[in-house]
Amino acid sequence: MSTTPPVLAAELAQAWADIQRHHPELPDLAAPESLIGESSSACGAELSFERLLHEAVHGIAAARGVRDTSRAGRYHNRRFLAIAEEMGLDHVEEPHPSSGFSLVVLNPEAKRRYRPTIERLQRALKAHTVATASDTKRTFRGPAARHGSSGGGVRVKAVCDCGRNVRVVPSVLAQAPIVCGGCGKPFRIPEAVGAAN
């Protein structure tokens, strides 16, 4: 299997088409490659089938003319949740103070329905990660990499239990906990919880 971004984009487009088979009103995905490396703090940072299905909820909301978010797209409201539930996503907790019902996870029925799609996309994502992480000794990352900083990178939203959030590069958070000054608990990246299921 080739690991070039166009192949990953094709896999994303195929997974989107699989979702459309079950939800015909879902519009076409204009640019699958735009999801590669894109971070949306409210929608989740890690690219996965779950994230793709989350984005499909927004697509159906747009097709229906439903306003599913507020606060510049960060807060996912109950209209988002209703469409998410139609599509096989559940939200098991109370809404988050700043992102609402954004942290949805696949329910067991959706996991069964989309199992072949999920497995195919996971293989493509893994191959893409391996391909883009290899040969780093011949890749110039700039002075920040040489001096041990994060070197920039895609920042994701990390949250604490009191509802505060910060934007952080995941590798920085992995080095040591970042503790909230409000409640004293560590910030965490919510998508890590969903990915474990």
Side-chain angles (χ1 to χ4, degrees):
M1 170 189 319
S2 173
T3 57
T4 60
V7 172
L8 179 54
E11 290 292 345
L12 287 166
Q14 182 59 51
W16 192 266
D18 292 349
I19 298 168
Q20 284 178 311
R21 273 196 287 285
H22 295 281
H23 303 280
E25 68 184 304
L26 177 63
D28 290 338
L29 183 58
E33 60 277 0
S34 68
L35 293 172
I36 301 169
E38 177 185 298
S39 173
S40 172
S41 62
C43 299
E46 184 178 317
L47 186 53
S48 64
F49 182 77
E50 201 166 76
R51 163 89 189 278
L52 195 63
L53 198 57
H54 177 126
E55 295 299 337
V57 172
H58 291 304
I60 287 182
R64 292 179 182 175
V66 172
R67 186 171 175 202
D68 63 341
T69 63
S70 59
R71 301 181 196 163
R74 288 185 308 274
Y75 191 87
H76 293 57
N77 60 34
R78 290 192 184 277
R79 290 181 293 272
F80 169 86
L81 182 59
I83 297 170
E85 288 173 345
E86 285 177 38
M87 297 184 71
L89 293 167
D90 289 333
H91 189 275
V92 295
E93 301 172 6
E94 289 297 311
H96 188 275
S98 63
S99 62
F101 296 99
S102 69
L103 300 178
V104 288
V105 295
L106 283 165
N107 68 30
E109 181 184 334
K111 284 181 184 178
R112 281 189 299 278
R113 177 187 310 143
Y114 293 113
R115 173 177 239 110
T117 304
I118 292 167
E119 290 172 354
R120 192 178 63 242
L121 186 57
Q122 283 176 335
R123 282 192 303 271
L125 287 166
K126 183 177 179 182
H128 176 72
T129 300
V130 168
T132 56
S134 65
D135 199 20
T136 56
K137 65 183 173 205
R138 296 185 41 83
T139 304
F140 178 72
R141 292 187 54 221
R146 292 193 305 270
H147 298 292
S149 81
S150 67
V154 177
R155 287 169 172 73
V156 298
K157 182 170 68 174
V159 297
C160 71
D161 290 341
C162 71
R164 296 179 74 212
N165 65 72
V166 295
R167 304 270 304 160
V168 63
V169 176
S171 61
V172 171
L173 191 59
Q175 292 172 7
I178 298 173
V179 179
C180 174
C183 69
K185 294 188 179 175
F187 284 94
R188 59 184 169 74
I189 299 172
E191 289 74 25
V193 175
N197 293 337

